[in-house]
Amino acid sequence: MAEAALSATETALENQRIGGLQLRVAALCTLVQICDGYDVNSIGVSVPSLTHAWNLPGPAFTVAFLWSSIGIMVGALSAGPIGDRVGRKPLLLASLTIFGLASLLSAFAGSLLLLSILRFFTGLGIGGGFPGAATLTGDYAPQRLRATMIMATFTGAPIGGFVCGQLAGVLLPTLGWPSIFVVGGVVPLLMVLALALWLPESPRFLARKDNLSAREAALLRRLDNTPGQVAAEDLDIAQGNPIAMLFGKGYALQTVLLWVIFFCSLMNLFLFVYWMPEVLHLTGMTPPEAARATSFRELGAICAVLYLGLLIDRSGPERALTANYAAGIVFIAAIALAAMPYLLLVIVIFLSGMTIIGSQTGANATCGKLYPARMRTSGLGWALGIGRLGGIAAPALGGWLLSLGLPPRQIFLSACLFAAIAAVATGLLALRGVRAEPLAGRSAA
């Protein structure tokens, strides 16, 4: 949906040049996503060791998985109004602090109940960090490259997951499961200081401030905006309820379809994140081996950025993202049904990550591209929040299927259905239409 008329201020921001400022923002937001991705995966790679340390069966940890996903959902739903009304930077600083502290305390949990409570707060911070980082990247990206830059930032999440799996293979045999959570807590807390020093606020929020520092004024001038001469009505910032905007002025169909896509996509993502290490452990791998094999799923998701973001920017999500979701069905079915040697299994896991987890990264970029700035955090935050209902259902579904006595890998067959629904819903985005009316209260460029 394209806006027909923009102010001179918005025109400058929507067509900004890519330079050191934009790359710095993207790099810092990518580091936030790396921390998020690490902490999302930390519980999954720890469970095979915790089953032995606490003498509990794998399905018992469904409760920890559930509270983690509930926390992410609450954080994502809260992040939208906070990020669109208060600012992107305060949202990110608060999110990193919350999940850094919760992860660090998880290393000292002595029971499943305490671990589950701490996983809720870990998820709460993660849920705010994902949309906040993506939205701020979008604010410092021109429209022509927005999906590419947001998707590049979101590669941080699978990078974090890959690092988590590889590090677990090294740390688990020597330092045990608490070391996974210590790393996941200390690094985000150090990042809070780095963001406070070097991460700028969204240019739209800076432009409406009355008392700018010399540094903030210089930043606006770099973006071809004169400090103190930007009228509030010339900025694409939320003036009303950002949540109500998601269903107003022609955005309702787009919003509903994105929620369906995110639900199905995150159902699959968390089914793999939470249960793949334990499933591989049940089929004969040691906990370190299962963690390392699982991490190649994240490596595949990283590689998806090499092509998917550019394809979305050039041809739209309807073709590129639909094809990527559909291809994932083949690799999911192969993991579920075929007995493969280790090397071939790792390759198929890599390809499933590229198509399934990579498609979720593409969906994030699509959401950031299709919503205008005034509702971008709410659009992505609520899509992620509603999608987290799938993330809540995923651990319960995996635990239930395992309890039925199915061969462990066959629990992933259910993911084929959700990938197909996501592919169809993505194709239907072509029906969302084009916005032709200008923003009320904004002057034409």
Side-chain angles (χ1 to χ4, degrees):
M1 295 183 183
E3 300 294 349
L6 296 174
S7 68
T9 300
E10 282 296 326
T11 299
L13 293 175
E14 290 295 287
N15 294 281
Q16 59 189 283
R17 297 178 297 276
I18 302 296
L21 171 63
Q22 288 76 12
L23 294 177
R24 168 160 53 97
V25 171
L28 289 171
C29 289
T30 301
L31 289 173
V32 173
Q33 301 282 20
I34 289 173
C35 294
D36 278 10
Y38 180 99
D39 278 327
V40 166
N41 284 271
S42 61
I43 183 66
V45 300
S46 299
V47 162
S49 294
L50 282 167
T51 57
H52 299 289
W54 291 353
N55 195 28
L56 292 172
F61 288 87
T62 298
V63 64
F65 295 156
L66 279 171
W67 280 108
S68 182
S69 290
I70 290 171
I72 295 174
M73 180 185 71
V74 173
L77 293 176
S78 304
I82 293 172
D84 282 335
R85 297 304 297 269
V86 177
R88 325 306 198 197
K89 185 173 180 177
L91 171 64
L92 287 175
L93 293 176
S95 297
L96 278 169
T97 302
I98 291 170
F99 78 75
L101 288 173
S103 179
L104 188 59
L105 291 173
S106 296
F108 304 98
S111 67
L112 182 56
L113 174 61
L114 181 56
L115 179 65
S116 300
I117 293 171
L118 290 170
R119 286 307 301 179
F120 169 80
F121 286 102
T122 305
L124 188 68
I126 290 170
F130 272 123
T135 303
L136 190 54
T137 300
D139 288 346
Y140 280 92
Q143 170 66 19
R144 68 185 183 279
L145 291 174
R146 184 161 291 140
T148 299
M149 289 188 66
I150 292 176
M151 190 166 178
T153 300
F154 262 106
T155 58
I159 289 172
F162 179 74
V163 170
C164 184
Q166 293 296 313
L167 203 58
V170 176
L171 295 179
L172 287 174
T174 54
L175 299 177
W177 64 267
S179 61
I180 306 301
F181 295 113
V182 170
V183 173
V186 170
V187 175
L189 293 176
L190 293 175
M191 275 293 298
V192 171
L193 179 60
L195 296 186
L197 291 174
W198 297 311
L199 185 69
E201 179 54 279
S202 166
R204 293 176 176 86
F205 283 84
L206 293 179
R208 73 176 183 178
K209 281 182 65 175
D210 294 327
N211 299 312
L212 290 174
S213 67
R215 185 179 179 183
E216 292 170 337
L219 184 147
L220 284 180
R221 283 191 287 269
R222 289 176 66 177
L223 297 171
D224 298 325
N225 280 289
T226 304
Q229 297 185 16
V230 179
E233 61 270 17
D234 290 335
L235 292 167
D236 192 16
I237 55 178
Q239 302 291 340
N241 184 343
I243 310 306
M245 293 180 190
L246 299 179
F247 293 92
K249 297 184 178 179
Y251 287 99
L253 178 60
Q254 171 182 303
T255 296
V256 171
L257 288 174
L258 285 169
W259 286 6
V260 172
I261 294 165
F262 273 66
F263 177 89
C264 294
S265 190
L266 288 170
M267 168 77 86
N268 284 349
L269 187 151
F270 282 98
L271 187 65
F272 281 111
V273 164
Y274 290 145
W275 286 115
M276 184 170 279
E278 178 63 10
V279 164
L280 295 181
H281 178 48
L282 291 173
T283 56
M285 293 186 188
T286 66
E289 288 173 342
R292 280 194 293 266
T294 300
S295 69
F296 284 92
R297 174 198 64 215
E298 312 301 329
L299 188 61
I302 296 166
C303 291
V305 76
L306 299 176
Y307 65 92
L308 194 52
L310 286 172
L311 289 176
I312 291 172
D313 272 328
R314 292 180 180 179
S315 62
E318 300 86 354
R319 296 180 181 178
L321 202 51
T322 298
N324 218 55
Y325 274 121
I329 298 172
V330 177
F331 303 117
I332 295 171
I335 292 172
L337 298 175
M340 293 174 277
Y342 181 82
L343 180 59
L344 181 58
L345 177 62
V346 164
I347 292 172
V348 175
I349 289 173
F350 169 87
L351 293 172
S352 71
M354 188 167 67
T355 49
I356 296 301
I357 314 301
S359 291
Q360 174 57 43
T361 308
N364 296 332
T366 296
C367 205
K369 183 179 179 69
L370 296 185
Y371 284 115
R374 64 187 179 277
M375 62 175 96
R376 191 168 292 142
T377 310
S378 294
L380 181 55
W382 273 68
L384 286 167
I386 297 299
R388 284 312 189 275
L389 293 174
I392 292 170
L397 175 63
W400 177 66
L401 291 174
L402 281 175
S403 69
L404 293 179
L406 288 174
R409 289 183 187 173
Q410 288 190 14
I411 72 170
F412 295 129
L413 277 177
S414 58
C416 294
L417 172 63
F418 297 111
I421 296 172
V424 172
T426 307
L428 290 176
L429 281 174
L431 303 177
R432 71 187 187 279
V434 178
R435 272 182 60 84
E437 66 273 18
L439 290 171
R442 279 141 171 102
S443 57

